[in-house]
Amino acid sequence: MYCHNCGTRNPTGANFCGACGSTLQPADAAETTISFMPDMPTSETEEVSIPVDEIEEGKAVLVVKKGPEAGTNFFLEKDVVTCGRDSGSDIFLDDVTVSRRHAEIRREGSSFTIVDSDSLNGTFVNRNRVDQSPLKNGDEIQIGKFKLVIFTEGSATR
């Protein structure tokens, strides 16, 4: 049984989600997919930082700000970086709210663009759903229930 609030899989017969505490409701027999909306801003401030000297010129780092792998860094060193639930993805995001081939981050020179790969739940940049969007330092990307922040060379904290 999946939580309709956060998408976490819970044991059959559970009354509350083990991850977020929401009340669980049995899924209809016809329901086979999970839809997920991006998190809305809260009054809590979530700050993420990385050592600036770790970012090479023309490269960037994605830091998982929220999700099962919070705190993980992904260095964007290739011209095309794949993101998704497929185990062959460059950025493997293992959750049912993420499509197998969810999105790509493309690098041209020192600029980066995220491109949604027709994912079920969409790709969001700064809480706006996008098919394709340029990325700048400090942008927040949401893929399923994962929130990631991009840092480029010479960046500080967000």
Side-chain angles (χ1 to χ4, degrees):
M1 177 180 308
Y2 292 94
C3 175
H4 292 283
N5 183 48
C6 69
T8 300
R9 185 177 187 164
N10 290 278
T12 303
N15 293 321
F16 298 95
C17 176
C20 72
S22 294
T23 303
L24 297 175
Q25 298 174 356
D28 296 337
E31 188 176 18
T32 58
T33 60
I34 293 178
S35 294
F36 188 81
M37 293 303 296
D39 286 343
M40 296 309 293
T42 62
S43 59
E44 299 173 14
T45 303
E46 301 168 339
E47 188 172 294
V48 177
S49 65
I50 60 158
V52 179
D53 57 344
E54 289 185 20
I55 304 174
E56 297 177 23
E57 186 175 341
K59 296 184 181 173
V61 176
L62 275 182
V63 179
V64 180
K65 180 176 176 180
K66 183 177 180 186
E69 299 175 30
T72 304
N73 296 341
F74 295 101
F75 288 84
L76 305 180
E77 298 177 332
K78 297 172 26 177
D79 288 336
V80 177
V81 175
T82 58
C83 307
R85 193 168 35 100
D86 186 296
S87 61
S89 297
D90 298 312
I91 298 177
F92 177 56
L93 302 172
D94 190 18
D95 188 76
V96 295
T97 59
V98 178
S99 296
R100 292 186 193 283
R101 290 172 185 82
H102 200 101
E104 292 181 348
I105 298 174
R106 299 178 183 163
R107 176 180 65 182
E108 290 186 28
S110 61
S111 63
F112 294 86
T113 302
I114 191 160
V115 179
D116 185 77
S117 300
D118 294 323
S119 63
L120 176 65
N121 289 318
T123 300
F124 295 80
V125 175
N126 300 323
R127 296 182 184 87
N128 295 309
R129 189 170 184 158
V130 299
D131 291 325
Q132 181 172 331
S133 176
L135 296 172
K136 62 184 182 315
N137 186 48
D139 278 348
E140 182 181 271
I141 300 164
Q142 185 159 350
I143 296 176
K145 66 180 181 180
F146 292 86
K147 281 186 182 179
L148 307 105
V149 178
I150 188 166
F151 292 96
T152 57
E153 66 165 311
S155 59
T157 45
R158 166 145 171 121

